[in-house]
Amino acid sequence: MAARRRKNVHSVDTRSLHEAAALLRRGELVAFPTETVYGLGANALDAKAVAKIFEAKGRPQDNPVIVHVSDLRMLRKVADPPPPRARALIARFWPGPLTLLLSKKSSLPSSVTAGLDTVAVRMPQGLARDLIRLAGVPVAAPSANLSGRPSPTTALHVAEDFPDVFVLDGGPTKHGVESTVIALEPFPVVLRQGALSEESLRKTIPGLRHAASTGRLASGGGPFSSKVNGAAASPGTKYTHYAPTRPLTLFLRKSSLLAYVRAHPKALVLCPTPLAPLFPKQRTLALGSSPEEIARALFAALRTRRRGSELLVLAVPRRGLGRTIMDRLERAATRIV
Ligand code: TXA
Ligand code: MG
């Protein structure tokens, strides 16, 4: 069914934007597109509104949410003044897909940060920023999916998970994967790989450490590691994520994928477009060619309704955005071979 035919999905115009802003001010939930993925937003300064996010998503209370601001004045309502390193990143990358851990203001409800004394903040681009500016309040927003499902990159994905929430339909999102989350204290470290690559961040903070992979491969078989070089990783990274519609196997070698497909002709292969000719046409779901295209198509592919007994995917090189793609694939995979 087309997203727009769903009663709770609203195309973007002045009226729907004002309605969404009024709902936020009134303590209600609104789902809206950001440049990364769709967010499920509530007034961050209203504890009751924030509780609705956790309730609707089935999100564990110990997993803090990101606060979105439209400008630096609004930032002051939720966080202490950013230290110099943070200021440099803000100047270079905001508005954009970068989330920073800053020291939390005591007036911000503690449920937003799950009791932590840091708050994760970002300033999104475009429509999301317009909406927050119009609402006039900082907006707490995790990705707009039920806990454990792939993040939504279209309004229809949101409506699948939340048939009763007001959704602003801004079309498919630009990056398709979530923001990069970094902490600056006690040293700069990437807590969650994201739309902004470590390589580009390192130009502004040369000493940036990269998180030990929190995926299944690097965790030594146990549940996701929650420690990164002695610093706590993003709490959310320890939870199961991105559950696809059918079991997903991540192949590290092309030869083993090809052999597996020959033996399992009913499987559906999510593959970079240049590799598609290697497989029967009706058995492939092409993701695109560049890492940017693959990132954009990935979460929709994990939600695919196409026929196929299981989903198969081939590893991509861990460079730039490829690192983020691999992080998401490792979390989504039922097994890695
Ligand atoms: O692109 C994005 O970041 C999207 C859009 C909507 O902005 N949001 C998003 O939120 O992905 P969510 O809640 O799905 O992921 C937020 C991540 C989680 O891993 C969470 O644990 C972490 O950020 N996080 C939030 N506050 C934190 C804090 N104070 N300390 C450490 N990690 C935190
Ligand atoms: Mg999420």
Side-chain angles (χ1 to χ4, degrees), residues 92-161:
R92 171 77 183 78
F93 294 109
W94 280 10
L98 175 66
T99 298
L100 294 172
L101 256 58
L102 298 174
S103 171
K104 166 190 180 294
K105 271 270 164 72
S106 53
S107 49
L108 184 72
S110 61
S111 53
V112 173
T113 63
L116 299 172
D117 51 16
T118 53
V119 57
V121 202
R122 84 177 183 98
M123 187 191 290
Q125 294 165 347
L127 180 68
R129 191 177 179 201
D130 294 344
L131 172 65
I132 299 162
R133 194 185 288 122
L134 205 55
V137 293
V139 173
S143 50
N145 51 277
L146 291 172
S147 230
R149 298 208 69 200
S151 296
T153 54
T154 67
L156 182 57
H157 297 159
V158 181
E160 274 168 18
D161 286 9

Side-chain angles (χ1 to χ4, degrees), residues 48-128:
K48 278 198 190 133
V50 172
K52 292 179 187 172
I53 297 177
F54 285 88
E55 159 100 42
K57 281 190 59 120
R59 185 176 177 100
Q61 301 285 341
D62 66 350
N63 191 5
V65 299
I66 296 175
V67 176
H68 300 69
V69 298
S70 57
D71 53 53
L72 297 180
R73 209 161 63 110
M74 195 180 270
L75 176 67
R76 289 206 289 271
K77 293 189 184 160
V78 299
D80 291 337
R85 262 201 298 244
R87 286 208 300 273
L89 287 165
I90 287 171
R92 171 77 183 78
F93 294 109
W94 280 10
L98 175 66
T99 298
L100 294 172
L101 256 58
L102 298 174
S103 171
K104 166 190 180 294
K105 271 270 164 72
S106 53
S107 49
L108 184 72
S110 61
S111 53
V112 173
T113 63
L116 299 172
D117 51 16
T118 53
V119 57
V121 202
R122 84 177 183 98
M123 187 191 290
Q125 294 165 347
L127 180 68

